[in-house]
Amino acid sequence: MQVAVPGPWSPLFGRLTLAAIPYDNPILVATFAGVAVVGLVVVAAVLYYKKLGYLWREWLTTVDHKKIGVMYVILGLVMLLRGFADALMIRTQQAMAIGPNSPGVLGAQHGYLPPFHFDQVYSAHGTAMILFAATPILTGLTNIVVPLQIGARDMAFPYMNALSLWLTVAGAALVMISLFVGDFSAAGWVGLIPLTELPYSPGVGVDYWMWAIQISSIGTTLNAINMIVTIIKMRAPGMGWFRLPVFTWTTLSTNIIGLTAFPVLGVALALLGADRYLGAHFYTAGNGGNLMLYTNLFWIWGHPEVYFLVLPAFGIMSEIIPTFSEKPLFGYTTMVAATFAIAGISWAVWLHHFFTMAAGPDVNGFFSIATMLVGIPTGVKVFNWMFTLYRGRLTFATPMLWCLYGLFLLLAGGITGMMLAIPAINYTVHNSVFVIAHFHCMVLLVVTAIFAAVAYWFPKVFGFALNETLGRGFFWTFSTATTITFLAMFALGFEGETRRLDYIYDPAWRPMLWTEEFGIALYCVSLVYFVLMLYVSLRDRVPAAADPWHSARTLEFLTPSPVPFYNFAVTPEVNARDELAWRRQHGLEHARPEAFEPIHMPSNSGLSFITGMCALAMGFGLIWRIWWLAGAGLLGIVLVVIIRSFDKNLGYEIQPAEVAAMEADLSLGGIIAEQPKRAPLTEVEAH
């Protein structure tokens, strides 16, 4: 039975009224104006250069794993900017609202954000950064790199790959829409019970949060299935299990976590939806509900999710450090074993997030030991990286600088993590910003690995290098900002500052809070460097060689730069773990086939994009209880699935002469090249 909600409702617009548009909030009005201007500029540029058809044919309907990966990364970077803006607002509010005499502006008693708006900002910050920034960027990188590393032409299920992307886009779009239509959740990114229950959050904020995550998590689960099957079934001849690059191994372990963890999150949110929409009592304190049921379900997903993010970062470092040390990775077998040990232990540590719930010494002791066990395989990885660096011919290009700083963050996050694994210490600093600083060390380790990966593989994908000078400026300002901000936060944690404060009652914390604000300002400088790096690199377009670093070791650098859409003109035969290094050693890195054969490729399809837009409409309808819109979105998804099931398109073939022409002129097959329309294969031709 549907639960009645407070406020007006109409059959046409549901709960949506003009009052839901925050036109009286100057911050949101200014933000909307900025977004509108940027959006109009983009649309005008697309129309002016007559690229609308190109955008539809080559990007919105693509099933090419590299283009899908690039769009994942772009989505993640947009959400990273959103999450950073939220962090800037949080730190500025705290720096302004110190002590009872601190002034207030824009309707706030202290600072410039009223408490309810502040709660939404920090809830959106965590949600955007973890689920819609780090996760999509890492998914995009694995989409781009893994098929190339294993010698495949594409993912095992190209259409499902595109569907995963557009479901993730739909979830992210709901987060962004909540800025300008209604509110976002004020219950934290973890969805604190009972704050997410309808009596405590009768608005649509929790619904935005819930449906955005629910829809995108389906996309993440589908991508996990796709990636696992790709690695198992699509490896090139000779690519045995112990010739897989470590990044591919970490991707496999990560997606095993994703396949098993994200459905748990889906169940947790489905039960919350039943409470909010149907009047169930899964999480309510009365009527048989249990507050801790949600907390357990959330963190059973939430802590493996941490390693869902960290393990690909470890894989990135395991590719870059050997390249710029000009040595094989030390301890390959132990690296693989450590990867799966971390993935396995990640399922046995979730309860350390609530040591203070009085579970008893036996339970706390078990989870304390399990948490400490994670340090063993992680330490194995650190020592293997150190031994790889030892006596290597080191080159400190920007990807290497990012990895070395990542090692520093791993050390800081690991040591403080071991501290938090001790229940007695955890009781002391629980719910303080010390915990936040520890967590940010781990998340920023992921971010530094992402920037290392972007610098490392960008020339491979696009065919031109990123500007090294501006890249170094970006690195030094970002790493300095990170160190300043979170050292101050560790200190504030020891001084007793709790998390989620919109008003700072103790003026003694002012120096450290202002130090954090200085660090945030330095992040803004690093953002300027990042934008300049992209602009100058696009302007100059310095061509990149097949191996732009001249010391890469893995199979993806055997292809031309930019990588053609078919990846390999001839499926490679793998002879060694570091295939490119082996070929370089034997003088074969420039060898080219004497003749080409037809290449079969999947056809593009707009159905995945349409499904994503139907999911967006369904989610928006459910949030505002516009039942006809939710039903229309669901019906659209069902119809697309039926249409897809009758689709007889068997892909197309690229003929040898066309392959030879594209190998001779790399611009014809690169990621930004527009391809001619090719007739699909008939069933007779396919067989």
Side-chain angles (χ1 to χ4, degrees), residues 11 35 89 103 128 153 163 165 199 226 256 321 396 409 467 508 562 673-674:
V35 170
M89 293 175 71
R153 296 215 185 276
L163 179 60
L165 166 70
N226 206 351
I256 291 172
I321 288 174
F396 295 101
L409 290 176
N467 185 277
E674 185 168 8

Side-chain angles (χ1 to χ4, degrees), residues 50-388:
K50 299 179 180 178
K51 292 295 183 181
L52 190 60
Y54 164 79
L55 193 64
W56 173 257
R57 290 188 300 272
E58 296 296 329
W59 290 90
L60 300 183
T61 63
T62 188
V63 295
D64 181 354
H65 70 98
K66 297 178 294 298
K67 289 182 177 178
I68 289 171
V70 168
M71 287 189 285
Y72 263 121
V73 172
I74 292 172
L75 170 67
L77 289 175
V78 170
M79 298 306 289
L80 188 69
L81 181 61
R82 160 73 192 276
F84 170 71
D86 291 333
L88 177 62
M89 293 175 71
I90 292 168
R91 298 295 156 231
T92 303
Q93 166 67 19
Q94 292 185 332
M96 291 173 62
I98 303 173
N101 297 321
S102 55
V105 295
L106 301 179
Q109 186 175 358
H110 302 280
Y112 71 104
L113 291 176
F116 185 67
H117 192 182
F118 180 85
D119 292 347
Q120 292 180 59
V121 170
Y122 79 68
S123 301
H125 171 69
T127 303
M129 285 297 203
I130 295 171
L131 287 159
F132 295 105
T135 298
I137 293 175
L138 290 170
T139 302
L141 290 171
T142 57
N143 259 273
I144 294 167
V145 176
V146 167
L148 293 169
Q149 285 197 331
I150 65 174
R153 296 215 185 276
D154 209 306
M155 298 280 280
F157 307 114
Y159 174 82
M160 189 162 77
N161 197 26
L163 179 60
S164 302
L165 166 70
W166 293 115
L167 289 175
T168 305
V169 170
L174 289 175
V175 175
M176 300 302 278
I177 290 171
S178 71
L179 265 177
F180 311 120
V181 184
D183 296 311
F184 195 67
S185 172
W189 80 272
V190 302
L192 297 169
I193 294 289
L195 297 183
T196 51
E197 291 289 331
L198 196 61
Y200 299 93
S201 296
V204 296
V206 170
D207 299 317
Y208 266 119
W209 169 83
M210 181 176 68
W211 288 112
I213 297 174
Q214 188 73 281
I215 292 169
S216 66
S217 70
I218 296 172
T220 305
T221 305
L222 293 177
N223 180 77
I225 296 170
N226 206 351
M227 194 63 73
I228 292 168
V229 175
T230 299
I231 294 171
I232 293 174
K233 302 294 291 183
M234 303 288 285
R235 303 192 307 276
M239 179 65 79
W241 282 109
F242 284 93
R243 286 180 177 173
L244 287 178
V246 173
F247 182 68
T248 300
W249 275 117
T250 58
T251 300
L252 178 61
S253 63
T254 290
N255 284 285
I256 291 172
I257 291 174
L259 178 59
T260 50
F262 274 89
V264 177
L265 177 64
V267 169
L269 294 178
L271 297 182
L272 176 61
D275 280 7
R276 290 183 62 85
Y277 284 78
L278 303 178
H281 298 283
F282 290 105
Y283 304 137
T284 54
N287 300 301
N290 189 332
L291 299 177
M292 289 307 301
L293 173 61
Y294 174 82
T295 306
N296 276 283
L297 285 173
F298 183 87
W299 286 114
I300 286 172
W301 162 81
H303 206 84
E305 161 70 4
V306 172
Y307 297 101
F308 183 89
L309 301 178
V310 167
L311 284 172
F314 289 167
I316 290 165
M317 295 166 73
S318 297
E319 300 299 329
I320 292 175
I321 288 174
T323 294
F324 294 101
S325 300
E326 298 190 31
K327 285 174 59 182
L329 179 67
F330 183 90
Y332 171 90
T333 304
T334 57
M335 274 292 204
V336 175
T339 295
F340 281 88
I342 292 171
I345 296 171
S346 73
W347 282 98
V349 297
W350 81 88
L351 196 133
H352 70 214
H353 288 274
F354 40 99
F355 271 147
T356 57
M357 76 172 211
D362 293 337
V363 172
N364 283 357
F366 172 84
F367 283 91
S368 174
I369 294 169
T371 303
M372 292 181 186
L373 286 177
V374 178
I376 297 174
T378 306
V380 168
K381 286 183 172 290
V382 172
F383 279 107
N384 282 350
W385 290 324
M386 290 173 63
F387 285 128
T388 304

Side-chain angles (χ1 to χ4, degrees), residues 596-598 654-663:
F596 300 100
E597 295 181 353
I654 312 171
Q655 297 306 313
E658 193 175 2
V659 176
M662 285 189 281
E663 288 291 299

Side-chain angles (χ1 to χ4, degrees), residues 556-603:
E556 71 269 26
F557 290 98
L558 185 64
T559 63
S561 297
V563 182
F565 65 91
Y566 48 81
N567 290 355
F568 299 91
V570 174
T571 300
E573 182 79 31
V574 179
N575 303 280
R577 182 179 297 152
D578 292 339
E579 177 65 15
L580 181 56
W582 183 89
R583 294 195 182 201
R584 190 185 297 118
Q585 183 181 354
H586 291 80
L588 300 173
E589 74 270 28
H590 300 299
R592 292 291 177 264
E594 297 179 357
F596 300 100
E597 295 181 353
I599 297 174
H600 177 258
M601 296 297 294
S603 297

